Amino acid sequence: MPAKKITGSFMMSSFSCVIMASGLGIRFGGNKLMADFGGFPMVHWILEASKMCFDDVVVVTRNIGVENLCNTRGIKVITHEFPYRSDTVRLGVKSLDVNTSGVVFCLADQPFLSIDTLLDFKEAVSNEPDKIWRTRSGNIIGSPTYFPVSLFEELTSLPQDKGGSYLCKIHPELVREFNIQNPLELKDIDTKATYEELRPQASCLNIWSKYLKSGKKHLFITGDRGEGKTTFLKSLLPLIGTNPSGLTSFATKGVDVRLQNRISGEEIVIGKFNPESRMSPILEALNGRGVEFIESLKVSSDKWVTIDEIGYLEESSDLYKNAIRELLKAKRVIAVVRKDGYPFLQELVSRHDAMVINIKRDSG
């Protein structure tokens, strides 16, 4: 399945977006929305995602830093001094385009909410735009939420310090739920402890965001030896939202290289060191169980597959290389690709449907 393109009917939808950015960060202990998160202010991430998905976006805030950031980016912003959540909802709804058919509320402190999820949420809402839609991941109910224009009057007259969840209780017959597979996307950062816990994922956000916006199907990670490609891949996995099936290769120094199928846990030896300490491929292993490993990935239920890594040993097996090519047709693949001039590796990083990143120690 190819990655989504942020064009066409998704952008033509008449839904509006209100970003709730009025929190003072009391539990956080400071101005959390302007705190650095992955090289940008925390609020940057929802500003980027929302502007890719909605034509009409308004930010409601009590934060001068957020106001200035929105002004520099040409994003509509309302700055106020009212104390309650109901005030933020009211100001946001009253500022919307009169032609809108509904509003999606997003929180400014959910930096992991992705473009893909917002687009999928809009598509679901489009099927029943006269209902209330809220998001869920397991037992967690969160943001974004959607309300049709028929409820705008009630949204602008909510009881003091009530939010949209109040209307969900009043109109339970209208409520629909959209399931988000990745609970990280619903994570709002309220405390410094949560902020520090999520720093490894924050370091990946810029590259992940660029990848989603690129519309590419695959993501290949390359770089010189020792630059942290595998570490980066591990930090990236929580952004995908699953622990995808895949292959992992690892070396026993001076002995051999093994390939593990993470579905079954089975390992095979695909290369051995010879007396001159050079690595020789085990062709029968790659042609046999190696190809079968890839076939098992192709028929798995996972949308994503990861491979760590694809190197020069694989160059020796035409069957293995063809199996990878077929896997790339069937799945979205995130792979570490050794930075060498071998023809197959060059073929991979030259694919038009893949985004390639060159990892260095200061990446992110």
Side-chain angles (χ1 to χ4, degrees):
M1 178 186 296
K4 276 188 172 59
K5 298 286 187 179
I6 309 169
T7 57
S9 60
F10 288 111
M11 289 297 293
M12 293 167 62
S13 169
S14 60
F15 303 146
S16 299
C17 177
V18 170
I19 297 174
M20 307 277 282
S22 294
L24 297 178
I26 294 173
R27 292 179 61 199
F28 187 81
N31 186 359
K32 68 175 179 179
L33 296 183
M34 295 301 293
D36 180 87
F37 200 75
F40 294 91
M42 190 185 299
V43 71
H44 160 87
W45 300 106
I46 190 60
L47 296 181
E48 285 293 292
S50 61
K51 77 178 183 180
M52 299 300 295
C53 301
F54 301 94
D55 290 322
D56 183 29
V57 177
V58 60
V59 178
V60 185
T61 189
R62 291 187 282 177
N63 189 307
I64 298 300
V66 173
E67 178 189 19
N68 292 336
L69 184 62
C70 291
N71 285 333
T72 61
R73 299 186 181 191
I75 299 171
K76 185 164 59 175
V77 59
I78 297 172
T79 307
H80 68 99
E81 297 182 355
F82 296 106
Y84 299 117
R85 182 180 304 179
S86 52
D87 297 319
T88 302
V89 173
R90 172 174 49 81
L91 292 170
V93 171
K94 283 185 174 295
S95 71
L96 298 179
D97 190 312
V98 295
N99 295 317
T100 192
S101 59
V103 59
V104 174
F105 288 95
C106 294
L107 300 181
D109 60 356
Q110 278 183 220
F112 297 107
L113 183 63
S114 71
I115 295 167
D116 272 8
T117 292
L118 276 175
L119 291 176
D120 287 341
F121 183 63
K122 282 182 64 180
E123 186 174 18
V125 169
S126 296
N127 293 324
E128 291 188 277
D130 58 337
K131 307 301 183 185
I132 298 172
W133 284 82
R134 63 185 183 184
T135 47
R136 174 188 288 274
S137 183
N139 294 325
I140 302 171
I141 295 175
S143 177
T145 54
Y146 165 84
F147 296 89
V149 70
S150 61
L151 294 178
F152 278 15
E153 184 175 346
E154 292 181 62
L155 285 170
T156 58
S157 57
L158 289 169
Q160 183 173 290
D161 206 24
K162 295 294 184 181
S165 59
Y166 177 80
L167 294 188
C168 294
K169 294 176 182 177
I170 292 177
H171 303 290
E173 76 284 356
L174 295 179
V175 175
R176 303 291 184 268
E177 289 190 345
F178 175 80
N179 185 62
I180 294 178
Q181 187 177 39
N182 185 358
L184 184 63
E185 294 199 49
L186 295 187
K187 192 89 168 180
D188 55 333
I189 300 177
D190 284 332
T191 66
K192 277 283 177 62
T194 304
Y195 175 82
E196 293 298 333
E197 174 193 341
L198 297 174
R199 288 287 287 270
Q201 281 68 57
S203 68
C204 303
L205 263 175
N206 194 29
I207 288 174
W208 185 245
S209 178
K210 287 179 180 178
Y211 165 61
L212 293 179
K213 286 189 283 187
S214 75
K216 302 290 188 180
K217 184 177 181 182
H218 310 297
L219 178 62
F220 294 152
I221 304 162
T222 190
D224 294 327
R225 181 174 296 180
E227 291 291 346
K229 301 183 293 296
T230 295
T231 299
F232 181 85
L233 176 62
K234 289 179 179 178
S235 295
L236 189 66
L237 291 182
L239 299 181
I240 301 172
T242 63
N243 186 17
S245 56
L247 305 179
T248 301
S249 59
F250 53 94
T252 302
K253 189 174 181 180
V255 180
D256 58 32
V257 172
R258 299 184 176 222
L259 184 69
Q260 182 187 58
N261 182 345
R262 293 203 307 277
I263 294 178
S264 64
E266 181 183 352
E267 297 175 9
I268 60 171
V269 176
I270 60 171
K272 283 191 175 181
F273 287 97
N274 59 35
E276 290 78 32
S277 295
R278 295 179 62 85
M279 179 63 63
S280 299
I282 308 298
L283 190 58
E284 58 269 28
L286 288 166
N287 286 345
R289 294 298 290 157
V291 169
E292 291 174 9
F293 282 2
I294 296 178
E295 289 296 323
S296 70
L297 301 181
K298 194 168 71 171
V299 299
S300 73
S301 60
D302 291 334
K303 175 181 178 181
W304 299 89
V305 165
T306 64
I307 302 178
D308 181 17
E309 68 177 4
I310 303 173
Y312 72 93
L313 290 174
E314 292 83 343
E315 189 74 41
S316 65
S317 171
D318 289 337
L319 291 176
Y320 193 88
K321 289 185 290 186
N322 284 334
I324 289 180
R325 293 184 185 107
E326 291 302 311
L327 179 66
L328 292 170
K329 295 178 183 178
K331 300 289 184 179
R332 296 183 76 169
V333 177
I334 300 178
V336 174
V337 179
R338 181 167 172 163
K339 193 175 184 179
D340 276 316
Y342 293 95
F344 182 59
L345 304 184
Q346 287 298 112
E347 173 190 325
L348 291 177
V349 299
S350 299
R351 289 178 63 100
H352 73 279
D353 60 351
M355 176 175 160
V356 181
I357 57 170
N358 187 24
I359 290 295
K360 295 187 179 298
R361 280 292 178 188
D362 58 355
S363 292

